[in-house]
Coordinates of all heavy atoms in Angstrom, one line a residue:
M1 N 0.8 -1.2 0.0 CA 0.0 -0.1 0.0 C 1.0 1.3 0.0 O 1.9 1.3 0.6 CB -0.9 0.0 1.3 CG -1.7 1.2 1.4 SD -2.8 1.4 2.9 CE -3.0 -0.2 3.5
I2 N 0.5 2.2 -0.8 CA 1.3 3.4 -0.8 C 0.5 4.6 0.0 O -0.6 4.6 -0.2 CB 1.6 3.8 -2.3 CG1 2.9 4.3 -2.4 CG2 0.7 4.9 -2.7 CD1 3.6 4.4 -3.5
I3 N 1.2 5.2 0.8 CA 0.7 6.3 1.7 C 1.3 7.6 1.3 O 2.5 7.7 1.2 CB 1.0 6.0 3.2 CG1 0.5 4.6 3.6 CG2 0.5 7.1 4.1 CD1 -1.0 4.4 3.7
V4 N 0.5 8.5 1.1 CA 1.0 10.0 0.8 C 1.3 10.5 2.2 O 0.5 10.7 3.0 CB -0.1 10.8 0.0 CG1 0.4 12.2 -0.1 CG2 -0.4 10.1 -1.3
T5 N 2.6 10.9 2.4 CA 3.1 11.5 3.6 C 3.1 12.9 3.6 O 3.2 13.6 4.7 CB 4.4 10.9 4.0 OG1 5.3 11.2 3.0 CG2 4.3 9.3 4.2
K6 N 3.2 13.5 2.4 CA 3.3 15.0 2.3 C 2.6 15.4 1.0 O 2.8 14.8 0.0 CB 4.8 15.5 2.3 CG 4.9 16.9 2.4 CD 6.4 17.3 2.5 CE 6.5 18.8 2.7 NZ 7.8 19.2 2.7
R7 N 1.8 16.5 1.2 CA 1.1 17.0 0.0 C 1.0 18.5 0.0 O 1.3 19.1 1.1 CB -0.3 16.4 0.0 CG -1.0 17.0 1.1 CD -2.5 16.5 1.2 NE -3.0 17.3 2.4 CZ -4.2 17.2 2.7 NH1 -5.1 16.3 2.3 NH2 -4.7 17.9 3.9
S8 N 0.7 19.1 -1.1 CA 0.5 20.6 -1.2 C -0.6 20.9 -2.1 O -0.9 20.2 -3.1 CB 1.8 21.3 -1.6 OG 2.1 20.9 -2.9
V9 N -1.5 21.9 -1.8 CA -2.6 22.3 -2.6 C -2.0 23.0 -3.8 O -1.2 23.9 -3.7 CB -3.6 23.2 -1.8 CG1 -4.7 23.7 -2.7 CG2 -4.2 22.4 -0.6
V10 N -2.6 22.6 -5.0 CA -2.1 23.3 -6.2 C -3.2 24.0 -6.9 O -3.0 24.9 -7.8 CB -1.4 22.4 -7.2 CG1 -0.1 21.8 -6.6 CG2 -2.2 21.1 -7.6
S11 N -4.5 23.6 -6.6 CA -5.6 24.2 -7.4 C -6.9 23.8 -6.7 O -7.0 23.0 -5.8 CB -5.7 23.7 -8.8 OG -6.7 24.2 -9.5
L12 N -8.0 24.5 -7.1 CA -9.4 24.2 -6.7 C -10.1 23.8 -8.0 O -10.2 24.7 -8.9 CB -10.0 25.4 -5.9 CG -11.4 25.2 -5.4 CD1 -11.3 24.1 -4.3 CD2 -11.9 26.5 -4.8
L13 N -10.7 22.6 -8.0 CA -11.3 22.1 -9.3 C -12.7 21.5 -8.9 O -12.8 20.6 -8.1 CB -10.4 21.0 -9.9 CG -10.9 20.4 -11.2 CD1 -10.9 21.4 -12.3 CD2 -10.0 19.2 -11.5
G14 N -13.7 22.2 -9.3 CA -15.1 21.7 -9.1 C -15.4 21.7 -7.6 O -16.1 20.8 -7.2
G15 N -14.9 22.5 -6.9 CA -15.1 22.6 -5.4 C -14.3 21.7 -4.6 O -14.4 21.6 -3.4
H16 N -13.3 21.0 -5.2 CA -12.5 20.1 -4.6 C -11.0 20.6 -4.7 O -10.6 21.0 -5.8 CB -12.5 18.7 -5.1 CG -13.9 18.1 -4.9 ND1 -14.3 17.5 -3.8 CD2 -14.9 17.9 -5.9 CE1 -15.6 17.1 -4.0 NE2 -15.9 17.3 -5.2
Y17 N -10.2 20.5 -3.7 CA -8.8 20.9 -3.8 C -8.1 19.8 -4.6 O -8.3 18.6 -4.4 CB -8.2 21.0 -2.4 CG -8.6 22.3 -1.7 CD1 -9.6 22.3 -0.7 CD2 -8.2 23.5 -2.1 CE1 -9.9 23.4 -0.1 CE2 -8.6 24.7 -1.5 CZ -9.4 24.7 -0.5 OH -9.9 25.8 0.1
L18 N -7.1 20.2 -5.4 CA -6.3 19.3 -6.2 C -4.9 19.4 -5.5 O -4.4 20.5 -5.2 CB -6.2 19.8 -7.6 CG -5.4 18.9 -8.6 CD1 -6.0 17.5 -8.7 CD2 -5.3 19.5 -9.9
Y19 N -4.3 18.2 -5.2 CA -3.1 18.2 -4.4 C -2.0 17.6 -5.3 O -2.2 16.8 -6.1 CB -3.2 17.3 -3.2 CG -4.3 17.7 -2.1 CD1 -5.5 17.3 -2.2 CD2 -3.9 18.7 -1.2 CE1 -6.5 17.7 -1.2 CE2 -4.8 19.0 -0.2 CZ -6.1 18.6 -0.3 OH -7.0 19.1 0.6
H20 N -0.8 18.1 -5.0 CA 0.5 17.5 -5.5 C 1.1 16.7 -4.5 O 1.2 17.0 -3.3 CB 1.5 18.6 -6.0 CG 2.7 18.1 -6.5 ND1 3.9 18.2 -5.7 CD2 3.1 17.5 -7.6 CE1 4.9 17.6 -6.4 NE2 4.4 17.2 -7.6
C21 N 1.4 15.4 -4.9 CA 2.1 14.5 -3.9 C 3.6 14.8 -3.8 O 4.3 14.9 -4.8 CB 2.0 13.0 -4.5 SG 2.7 11.8 -3.5
E22 N 4.0 15.1 -2.6 CA 5.4 15.4 -2.4 C 6.1 14.4 -1.6 O 7.4 14.4 -1.6 CB 5.5 16.8 -1.7 CG 4.9 17.9 -2.5 CD 4.9 19.2 -1.7 OE1 5.5 19.3 -0.6 OE2 4.5 20.2 -2.3
G23 N 5.5 13.5 -1.0 CA 6.2 12.4 -0.2 C 5.3 11.2 -0.1 O 4.1 11.3 0.1
T24 N 5.9 10.0 -0.2 CA 5.2 8.8 0.0 C 5.9 7.8 0.8 O 7.2 7.9 1.0 CB 4.9 8.1 -1.4 OG1 6.1 7.7 -2.0 CG2 4.0 9.0 -2.3
E25 N 5.2 6.8 1.3 CA 5.8 5.7 2.0 C 5.1 4.3 1.5 O 3.9 4.3 1.4 CB 5.7 5.8 3.5 CG 6.4 4.8 4.3 CD 6.5 5.1 5.8 OE1 6.2 6.3 6.2 OE2 6.7 4.2 6.5
L26 N 6.0 3.3 1.3 CA 5.4 2.0 0.8 C 5.3 1.2 2.0 O 6.3 0.9 2.7 CB 6.3 1.5 -0.2 CG 5.9 0.2 -0.9 CD1 4.5 0.4 -1.7 CD2 6.9 -0.3 -1.9
L27 N 4.1 0.7 2.3 CA 3.9 -0.2 3.5 C 3.4 -1.5 3.0 O 2.5 -1.6 2.2 CB 2.8 0.4 4.5 CG 3.2 1.8 5.0 CD1 2.0 2.3 5.8 CD2 4.5 1.7 5.8
P28 N 3.9 -2.6 3.6 CA 3.3 -4.0 3.3 C 1.9 -4.1 3.8 O 1.5 -3.6 4.9 CB 4.3 -4.9 4.0 CG 4.9 -4.1 5.1 CD 4.8 -2.7 4.6
V29 N 1.0 -4.8 3.0 CA -0.4 -5.0 3.4 C -0.5 -6.1 4.3 O -1.2 -6.1 5.3 CB -1.3 -5.1 2.2 CG1 -2.8 -5.4 2.6 CG2 -1.3 -3.9 1.3
A30 N 0.2 -7.3 4.0 CA 0.2 -8.4 4.9 C 1.6 -8.9 5.2 O 2.4 -9.0 4.3 CB -0.6 -9.5 4.1
F31 N 1.9 -9.0 6.5 CA 3.2 -9.4 6.9 C 3.5 -10.9 6.8 O 4.6 -11.4 6.7 CB 3.5 -9.0 8.3 CG 3.5 -7.5 8.5 CD1 2.4 -6.7 8.9 CD2 4.5 -6.8 8.1 CE1 2.4 -5.4 9.0 CE2 4.7 -5.4 8.3 CZ 3.6 -4.7 8.7
N32 N 2.4 -11.7 6.9 CA 2.6 -13.2 7.1 C 2.2 -13.9 5.7 O 2.1 -15.1 5.7 CB 1.8 -13.8 8.2 CG 2.3 -13.3 9.5 OD1 3.5 -13.0 9.7 ND2 1.4 -13.1 10.4
H33 N 1.9 -13.1 4.6 CA 1.5 -13.7 3.4 C 2.7 -14.3 2.7 O 3.7 -13.8 2.5 CB 0.9 -12.5 2.5 CG 0.5 -13.0 1.2 ND1 -0.7 -13.9 1.0 CD2 1.0 -12.9 -0.1 CE1 -0.8 -14.1 -0.2 NE2 0.2 -13.5 -1.0
K34 N 2.5 -15.6 2.3 CA 3.6 -16.3 1.5 C 3.5 -16.0 0.0 O 2.5 -16.1 -0.6 CB 3.4 -17.8 1.6 CG 4.5 -18.6 1.0 CD 4.3 -20.1 1.2 CE 5.4 -20.8 0.6 NZ 5.3 -21.2 -0.8
I35 N 4.6 -15.4 -0.5 CA 4.7 -15.0 -1.9 C 5.1 -16.2 -2.7 O 6.2 -16.7 -2.5 CB 5.6 -13.8 -2.1 CG1 5.1 -12.6 -1.3 CG2 5.7 -13.5 -3.5 CD1 6.0 -11.4 -1.2
E36 N 4.4 -16.7 -3.6 CA 4.7 -17.9 -4.4 C 5.8 -17.7 -5.4 O 6.6 -18.5 -5.5 CB 3.4 -18.4 -5.1 CG 2.4 -18.9 -4.1 CD 1.1 -19.4 -4.8 OE1 1.2 -19.7 -6.1 OE2 0.2 -19.6 -4.2
K37 N 5.8 -16.5 -6.0 CA 6.8 -16.2 -7.0 C 7.7 -15.0 -6.5 O 7.5 -13.9 -6.9 CB 6.2 -15.9 -8.4 CG 5.4 -17.0 -9.0 CD 4.8 -16.7 -10.3 CE 4.0 -17.8 -10.9 NZ 3.4 -17.4 -12.1
Q38 N 8.6 -15.2 -5.6 CA 9.3 -14.2 -5.0 C 10.2 -13.4 -6.0 O 10.3 -12.2 -5.9 CB 10.3 -14.7 -3.9 CG 9.5 -15.2 -2.7 CD 10.4 -15.6 -1.6 OE1 11.6 -15.8 -1.7 NE2 9.8 -15.9 -0.5
Q39 N 10.8 -14.0 -7.0 CA 11.6 -13.3 -8.0 C 10.8 -12.4 -8.8 O 11.1 -11.3 -9.0 CB 12.3 -14.3 -8.9 CG 13.5 -15.0 -8.2 CD 14.2 -16.0 -9.2 OE1 13.6 -16.4 -10.2 NE2 15.5 -16.3 -8.9
E40 N 9.5 -12.9 -9.2 CA 8.7 -12.0 -10.0 C 8.2 -10.9 -9.1 O 8.1 -9.7 -9.6 CB 7.5 -12.9 -10.5 CG 6.5 -12.1 -11.3 CD 7.0 -11.7 -12.7 OE1 8.1 -12.0 -13.1 OE2 6.3 -11.0 -13.4
E41 N 7.8 -11.1 -7.9 CA 7.3 -10.1 -6.9 C 8.4 -9.0 -6.8 O 8.2 -7.8 -6.9 CB 7.0 -10.7 -5.6 CG 6.6 -9.7 -4.5 CD 5.2 -9.2 -4.7 OE1 4.4 -9.7 -5.5 OE2 4.8 -8.2 -4.0
Q42 N 9.7 -9.4 -6.6 CA 10.8 -8.5 -6.5 C 11.1 -7.7 -7.7 O 11.3 -6.5 -7.6 CB 12.0 -9.2 -6.0 CG 13.2 -8.4 -5.5 CD 12.8 -7.5 -4.3 OE1 12.2 -8.0 -3.4 NE2 13.0 -6.2 -4.4
R43 N 11.0 -8.3 -8.8 CA 11.1 -7.6 -10.1 C 10.0 -6.5 -10.3 O 10.4 -5.4 -10.6 CB 11.0 -8.7 -11.3 CG 11.3 -8.0 -12.6 CD 11.1 -9.0 -13.8 NE 9.7 -9.3 -14.1 CZ 8.9 -8.6 -14.8 NH1 9.4 -7.4 -15.2 NH2 7.6 -8.9 -15.0
L44 N 8.7 -6.8 -10.0 CA 7.8 -5.9 -10.1 C 7.8 -4.8 -9.1 O 7.6 -3.6 -9.4 CB 6.4 -6.6 -10.0 CG 6.0 -7.6 -11.1 CD1 4.7 -8.3 -10.8 CD2 5.9 -6.8 -12.5
M45 N 8.2 -5.1 -7.9 CA 8.5 -4.1 -6.8 C 9.6 -3.2 -7.2 O 9.5 -1.9 -7.0 CB 8.8 -4.7 -5.5 CG 7.6 -5.3 -4.8 SD 6.3 -4.2 -4.5 CE 7.0 -3.0 -3.3
N46 N 10.7 -3.6 -7.8 CA 11.7 -2.7 -8.3 C 11.3 -1.9 -9.5 O 11.7 -0.7 -9.4 CB 13.0 -3.6 -8.7 CG 13.7 -4.3 -7.6 OD1 13.6 -3.8 -6.5 ND2 14.4 -5.3 -7.9
I47 N 10.5 -2.3 -10.3 CA 10.0 -1.4 -11.4 C 9.1 -0.4 -10.7 O 9.2 0.8 -11.1 CB 9.1 -2.3 -12.4 CG1 10.1 -3.2 -13.2 CG2 8.3 -1.4 -13.3 CD1 9.4 -4.2 -14.0
F48 N 8.2 -0.7 -9.8 CA 7.2 0.2 -9.2 C 8.1 1.3 -8.4 O 7.8 2.4 -8.4 CB 6.3 -0.5 -8.2 CG 5.4 0.4 -7.6 CD1 4.3 1.0 -8.3 CD2 5.5 0.7 -6.2 CE1 3.4 1.8 -7.7 CE2 4.6 1.7 -5.6 CZ 3.6 2.1 -6.4
K49 N 9.1 0.9 -7.7 CA 9.9 1.8 -6.9 C 10.7 2.8 -7.8 O 11.1 3.8 -7.3 CB 11.0 1.1 -6.1 CG 10.3 0.4 -4.9 CD 11.2 -0.5 -4.0 CE 10.6 -1.2 -2.9 NZ 11.5 -1.9 -2.1
Q50 N 10.8 2.6 -9.1 CA 11.4 3.5 -10.0 C 10.6 4.7 -10.3 O 11.0 5.7 -10.9 CB 11.9 2.8 -11.3 CG 13.0 1.9 -11.1 CD 13.4 1.1 -12.4 OE1 12.9 1.4 -13.3 NE2 14.3 0.2 -12.2
V51 N 9.3 4.6 -10.1 CA 8.3 5.6 -10.4 C 8.5 6.7 -9.3 O 8.3 6.4 -8.1 CB 6.9 5.1 -10.4 CG1 5.8 6.2 -10.6 CG2 6.7 4.1 -11.5
D52 N 8.8 7.9 -9.7 CA 8.9 9.0 -8.7 C 7.6 9.7 -8.5 O 7.1 10.5 -9.3 CB 10.0 10.0 -9.1 CG 10.3 11.0 -8.1 OD1 9.6 11.1 -7.1 OD2 11.2 11.8 -8.3
M53 N 6.9 9.3 -7.4 CA 5.4 9.8 -7.2 C 5.5 11.3 -6.9 O 4.5 12.0 -7.0 CB 4.8 9.1 -6.1 CG 4.7 7.6 -6.3 SD 3.3 7.2 -7.4 CE 1.9 7.5 -6.3
S54 N 6.7 11.9 -6.6 CA 6.7 13.3 -6.1 C 6.9 14.2 -7.3 O 6.9 15.4 -7.1 CB 7.9 13.4 -5.1 OG 9.1 13.3 -5.8
K55 N 7.1 13.7 -8.5 CA 7.2 14.5 -9.7 C 5.9 14.9 -10.3 O 5.6 16.0 -10.5 CB 8.2 13.9 -10.7 CG 9.6 14.0 -10.2 CD 10.6 13.8 -11.2 CE 11.9 13.9 -10.6 NZ 13.0 14.2 -11.4
N56 N 5.2 13.9 -10.8 CA 4.0 14.2 -11.7 C 2.7 13.4 -11.1 O 1.9 12.9 -12.0 CB 4.3 13.7 -13.0 CG 5.3 14.5 -13.7 OD1 5.3 15.8 -13.6 ND2 6.3 13.9 -14.3
F57 N 2.6 13.4 -9.8 CA 1.3 12.7 -9.3 C 0.5 13.7 -8.6 O 1.0 14.4 -7.7 CB 1.8 11.6 -8.4 CG 0.6 10.8 -7.9 CD1 0.0 9.8 -8.7 CD2 0.1 11.0 -6.6 CE1 -1.1 9.1 -8.2 CE2 -1.0 10.2 -6.1 CZ -1.6 9.3 -7.0
Y58 N -0.7 13.8 -9.1 CA -1.7 14.7 -8.5 C -2.9 13.9 -8.1 O -3.2 13.0 -8.7 CB -2.1 15.8 -9.5 CG -0.9 16.7 -9.8 CD1 0.0 16.3 -10.9 CD2 -0.6 17.8 -9.2 CE1 1.0 17.0 -11.3 CE2 0.5 18.7 -9.6 CZ 1.2 18.2 -10.6 OH 2.4 19.0 -10.9
F59 N -3.7 14.4 -7.0 CA -4.9 13.7 -6.6 C -5.8 14.6 -6.0 O -5.5 15.8 -5.6 CB -4.5 12.5 -5.6 CG -4.0 13.0 -4.3 CD1 -4.8 13.1 -3.3 CD2 -2.6 13.3 -4.2 CE1 -4.3 13.5 -2.1 CE2 -2.1 13.7 -2.9 CZ -2.9 13.8 -1.9
R60 N -7.1 14.2 -5.9 CA -8.0 14.9 -5.1 C -8.9 14.0 -4.3 O -9.0 12.8 -4.7 CB -8.9 15.9 -6.0 CG -9.9 15.1 -6.9 CD -10.7 16.0 -7.8 NE -11.6 15.2 -8.6 CZ -12.8 15.5 -8.7 NH1 -13.4 16.5 -8.0 NH2 -13.6 14.7 -9.5
Y61 N -9.5 14.5 -3.2 CA -10.4 13.7 -2.4 C -11.8 13.8 -3.0 O -12.2 14.9 -3.3 CB -10.4 14.1 -1.0 CG -9.1 13.9 -0.3 CD1 -8.2 14.9 0.0 CD2 -8.7 12.6 0.1 CE1 -7.1 14.8 0.7 CE2 -7.4 12.4 0.7 CZ -6.6 13.5 1.0 OH -5.5 13.2 1.6
V62 N -12.5 12.7 -3.2 CA -13.8 12.7 -3.7 C -14.7 11.9 -2.7 O -14.4 10.8 -2.3 CB -13.9 12.1 -5.1 CG1 -15.4 12.0 -5.5 CG2 -13.0 12.7 -6.0
P63 N -15.8 12.6 -2.2 CA -16.7 11.9 -1.3 C -17.2 10.5 -1.9 O -17.5 10.4 -3.1 CB -17.9 12.8 -1.1 CG -17.4 14.2 -1.5 CD -16.3 13.9 -2.6
A64 N -17.2 9.5 -1.0 CA -17.6 8.1 -1.5 C -19.1 8.2 -1.8 O -19.9 8.8 -1.2 CB -17.4 7.2 -0.4
Q65 N -19.4 7.4 -2.9 CA -20.8 7.3 -3.3 C -21.4 6.0 -2.7 O -20.9 4.9 -3.2 CB -21.0 7.3 -4.8 CG -20.5 8.6 -5.4 CD -21.3 9.8 -5.0 OE1 -22.6 9.7 -5.0 NE2 -20.7 10.9 -5.0
H66 N -22.2 6.1 -1.7 CA -22.8 4.8 -1.1 C -23.9 4.3 -1.8 O -24.9 5.1 -2.1 CB -23.0 5.0 0.4 CG -21.8 5.4 1.2 ND1 -20.9 4.5 1.6 CD2 -21.4 6.6 1.6 CE1 -20.0 5.1 2.2 NE2 -20.2 6.4 2.3
V67 N -23.9 3.1 -2.2 CA -25.1 2.5 -2.9 C -25.7 1.5 -2.1 O -25.0 0.6 -1.6 CB -24.7 1.9 -4.3 CG1 -25.8 1.3 -4.9 CG2 -24.1 3.0 -5.2
C68 N -27.0 1.6 -1.8 CA -27.7 0.5 -1.0 C -28.6 -0.3 -1.8 O -29.4 0.2 -2.6 CB -28.5 1.3 0.2 SG -27.5 2.2 1.4
H69 N -28.4 -1.6 -1.7 CA -29.3 -2.5 -2.4 C -30.3 -3.2 -1.5 O -29.8 -3.6 -0.4 CB -28.5 -3.5 -3.2 CG -27.6 -2.9 -4.2 ND1 -28.0 -2.4 -5.4 CD2 -26.2 -2.7 -4.2 CE1 -27.0 -2.0 -6.1 NE2 -25.8 -2.1 -5.4
N70 N -31.5 -3.3 -1.8 CA -32.5 -4.0 -0.9 C -32.6 -5.4 -1.4 O -32.5 -5.9 -2.4 CB -33.8 -3.3 -1.0 CG -33.8 -2.0 -0.3 OD1 -32.9 -1.7 0.6 ND2 -34.7 -1.0 -0.7

């Protein structure tokens, strides 16, 4: 899971603030999960870690749309 640790407001779009990601932290989701293909997992993690999220990553918070089914 990737956690945004630092952000800055860059704009207001449709009533929602648009943020620039300035810092992130990668956290494991499951500590006791057995990875079947460790080499493939490590290869994919290395590729993902090459992406610099602090350069061109922007996001905004959008309220969740709750759908109730009867």
